[in-house]
Amino acid sequence: LVMVFYGSNGKSNLVSMENKVEHQAKNQITYDIHLPSDLGMLYKVRLGLQSLENSISQLSLRHFKMQNTSTLDTFSLTINKTLPLSLNGDRWIEFPVEWPLKEALSVITYHLTVFSRNILSERNLVHMTACIYGTHGDTGDRSLLWSLQNVQQGEDNESFLVIMDAVELGELEKVILLISSKTDCELDIKKLHLKEAVKDHPIYVFEVNEAFSVDANKPEIQREIPVSFVIRGDKQKNDIDNLLKEGSQAGNLTEYTIKVYTGDKRGAGTDANVHIILFGNEDKSEVFQLSQSLEHQDPFERGKVDTFKIKTKKLGNLHSIEIGHDGKGFASGWFLEKVEITEASRNSVYCFNCNR
């Protein structure tokens, strides 16, 4: 049994529950631990099993009580959970520490959707964990392949949902992936979507787009993936509307015509929600959802061209775009041929080839 303590100034290393002081009563054990004094005010504890020995397959936890021996501040919590949470399941549980006169954080269920090409076929041989970082700390390494929900498989793409509970992380910042395998293989990971289970937005998108060559005889692969962008839903739409209103009053808006070419090959189309950001040498645009095609009621179908008009602030000469989708719908993979953007006021046409 190990614990990690989080304070206002950082977190502790793994604290092993080895120094037993006494057995006060049946099924009740007291431990004496020493934490770094510079942790500050404790706000969260992560408790788990470091390794599963054959002699102990599960550990039932009923109650947790913690007391500072110098100040006598006491925190107690009824847990009533068993670790791991299921067969080969998550070995960690987290709970906030609530001191008198201090507001505690909440425990949140997070939905992490993994978009890949071939992980599911290799899942019995692969070990993959993710540690999610936010402004309120991290989740520690959580297994991604132990309990998959909402599995969707297409010809060349797949996705699955991982559900994990953690004390609220605040604004999400990055994910660190750790990948190892019992056999040599190549894992193609496209991206990760992360959101709170009870909310549709915001969705934090972590673009990976990498094929990992895993060698069974080499150390595990580690990748740090920062947030690529955030889909904020209705709030974002209101922010954009307000921006457009302010811009139109100032007479500074520039109109762009965007032509999106979907490739003419099997499975090229998508029903997912597509977004775009324009980058110029003077500024970048907000995120635009490309939903109202001027030609087709159902945009982004195989071999079709869809035209969209947007208005945004002055960007200068365009040099790049960011375009992507939210993975909604079965077999949401999309083959994008190219994007052409026309700025009529400057008589400028920009072409961004993709072919992937």
Side-chain angles (χ1 to χ4, degrees), residues 43 110 131-139 168-176 192 194-195 202-207 223-230 232:
Y43 69 87
Y110 286 96
C131 182
I132 304 160
Y133 288 78
T135 51
H136 296 159
D138 61 80
T139 61
E168 62 182 289
L169 295 165
E171 282 287 318
L172 303 183
E173 297 172 340
K174 64 180 179 180
V175 171
I176 291 184
L192 312 173
L194 191 57
K195 71 179 191 71
I203 301 172
Y204 292 82
V205 181
F206 301 82
E207 295 279 5
R223 283 291 185 279
E224 180 176 312
I225 305 151
V227 172
S228 301
F229 57 90
V230 184
R232 296 196 180 273

Side-chain angles (χ1 to χ4, degrees), residues 28-67:
Q28 181 175 327
I29 307 172
T30 302
Y31 299 92
D32 200 0
I33 62 171
H34 298 274
L35 297 178
S37 58
D38 59 358
L39 280 183
M41 175 69 75
L42 295 183
Y43 69 87
K44 159 177 154 177
V45 176
R46 187 164 72 248
L47 183 152
L49 301 173
Q50 192 167 26
S51 61
L52 290 176
E53 302 295 338
N54 292 333
S55 56
I56 301 177
S57 57
Q58 288 188 318
L59 180 64
S60 296
L61 302 163
R62 296 286 169 253
H63 197 76
F64 178 88
K65 181 178 178 180
M66 177 169 62
Q67 184 175 57

